Amino acid sequence: MYEYIRTLVPEERLLFHEPMSRHTTLRVGGEAECIIMVETQDELSQLIQYLSRSGREYFVLGNGSNLLVGDKGYQGVILKLGKRMQQIRVEGNHIVAGAGALLSQVSAAARDAGLSGLEFAAGIPGTIGGAIVMNAGAYDGEMKQVVKTVRVMDKEGEILTLDNDTMEFGYRTSIIKDRPFIVLGVIMELTTGETEQISIRMEELMALRKSKQPLEYPSAGSTFKRPEGYYAGKLIMDAGLRGYRIGGAQVSEKHCGFVINAGGASAADVKEVIEEVQERVKDRFHVRLEPEVIFLGDF
């Protein structure tokens, strides 16, 4: 398999037995069999078609946020979007961004162009691709509000363009959650604003985020989805789990909705904390907390 892959991708963009702790915001995870740094749509198309035909498991990686990789690693191929799939450009009141572009960079580009609508995304530690898949949001904003069209690739390497309605955006979900699509890029439609006012709003939200969230520790972001009619963090706090710890994994004392790597955590530690939180909250409040975090590989 790798002899063929080497005909598609230069050797310097292949990483074998690479620790996933280097590629996730939680800073935990065992080795991936192989990470391929993908720079073009053509490369991605050929790789996807080949891996699909050969039955090899693969996972498309952006910034590694919202992801927990097991300590025993991932026995498959990681396709990591490279710099040529991170491009951002402004066209009138539209932002065109590649799937690998960081939300922070895209929101900064919008601000600099005097375009409003992405202020909420400035502090979300992920890529546009991941944000589209889960309809990322914060502070009353979400991707659904700004997305015009999304370009995706299917497992046959074909490229499709989906409009906002077709994306079926919901709370932390989209049509891509249930389809074998890979996000390539997105066009967002924003509104004209004043750069100074946009900057002020972004600074306000960033200050709020810093005061409320444990940004000083590695984490996968918010660990649980918000259950209907409740707040996950409050349920966890009321269950007496503030600061609850197993090994190096801990329920944040600053915001109980975050499980953090307080130092030297293993993936198993994080997983055990998540499962204990789920069990205790269900026992006490009869509410099932659903993780936002994606579990990948062997634990």
Side-chain angles (χ1 to χ4, degrees):
M1 180 181 75
Y2 291 115
E3 288 180 7
Y4 174 73
I5 286 176
R6 285 183 173 94
T7 68
L8 302 177
V9 180
E11 187 75 28
E12 62 268 21
R13 289 200 269 117
L14 301 177
L15 302 174
F16 294 98
H17 306 294
E18 176 74 4
M20 287 301 291
S21 57
R22 298 176 183 172
H23 299 272
T24 63
T25 58
L26 252 172
R27 299 292 178 255
V28 302
E31 294 182 350
E33 181 182 325
C34 178
I35 297 180
I36 303 175
M37 308 297 293
V38 184
E39 291 290 355
T40 69
Q41 289 184 22
D42 185 55
E43 281 181 358
L44 183 62
S45 176
Q46 293 184 69
L47 287 166
I48 291 298
Q49 290 179 72
Y50 175 72
L51 293 170
S52 296
R53 286 196 307 269
S54 61
R56 292 293 303 220
E57 188 176 346
Y58 64 87
F59 183 83
V60 180
L61 180 70
N63 194 45
S65 60
N66 214 45
L67 181 65
L68 177 61
V69 181
D71 297 311
K72 296 178 183 177
Y74 177 65
Q75 302 305 308
V77 178
I78 298 286
L79 303 174
K80 186 166 185 178
L81 304 183
K83 291 184 178 180
R84 290 175 64 183
M85 300 188 75
Q86 300 171 10
Q87 296 177 343
I88 304 165
R89 68 179 188 272
V90 179
E91 297 180 354
N93 68 328
H94 294 93
I95 296 278
V96 182
L102 292 173
L103 278 171
S104 57
Q105 296 172 335
V106 178
S107 59
R111 175 201 62 205
D112 295 345
L115 296 176
S116 177
L118 273 175
E119 292 87 338
F120 75 89
I124 298 176
T127 60
I128 280 290
I132 293 298
V133 172
M134 67 175 294
N135 187 27
Y139 304 114
D140 298 321
E142 57 183 355
M143 297 307 297
K144 176 182 178 179
Q145 298 167 355
V146 296
V147 169
K148 185 176 182 182
T149 59
V150 179
R151 283 188 308 110
V152 300
M153 181 180 292
D154 65 19
K155 64 182 181 180
E156 304 301 326
E158 296 295 322
I159 296 175
L160 309 171
T161 299
L162 311 179
D163 62 19
N164 190 298
D165 289 338
T166 306
M167 284 296 300
E168 297 180 8
F169 287 120
Y171 175 66
R172 300 299 178 264
T173 190
S174 72
I175 193 173
I176 299 174
K177 282 271 191 177
D178 302 311
R179 301 288 183 91
F181 290 151
I182 297 171
V183 177
L184 299 176
V186 60
I187 298 177
M188 291 162 283
E189 187 169 15
L190 306 177
T191 57
T192 304
E194 295 186 8
T195 299
E196 184 178 354
Q197 293 302 314
I198 295 168
S199 295
I200 290 172
R201 181 57 178 161
M202 288 171 67
E203 289 167 5
E204 288 174 349
L205 293 181
M206 184 57 71
L208 186 60
R209 187 181 292 272
K210 287 180 179 178
S211 70
K212 301 283 188 182
Q213 299 181 7
L215 303 183
E216 63 273 28
Y217 291 99
S219 79
S222 181
T223 306
F224 300 98
K225 295 180 181 180
R226 186 180 67 240
E228 189 172 353
Y230 300 91
Y231 290 98
K234 187 173 189 311
L235 287 172
I236 297 166
M237 180 178 66
D238 291 347
L241 289 164
R242 181 192 292 275
Y244 178 79
R245 183 166 180 158
I246 295 176
Q250 181 180 14
V251 174
S252 168
E253 296 184 3
K254 183 184 282 189
H255 190 314
C256 292
F258 287 70
V259 175
I260 61 172
N261 182 350
S266 66
D269 293 339
V270 177
K271 188 170 183 284
E272 284 185 53
V273 169
I274 289 173
E275 290 172 347
E276 184 67 19
V277 166
Q278 288 177 299
E279 186 175 336
R280 290 207 199 176
V281 168
K282 186 175 182 181
D283 286 347
R284 180 160 181 182
F285 302 109
H286 308 291
V287 176
R288 183 184 182 279
L289 293 179
E290 183 180 351
E292 280 193 27
V293 177
I294 297 169
F295 295 83
L296 183 69
D298 299 319
F299 289 82

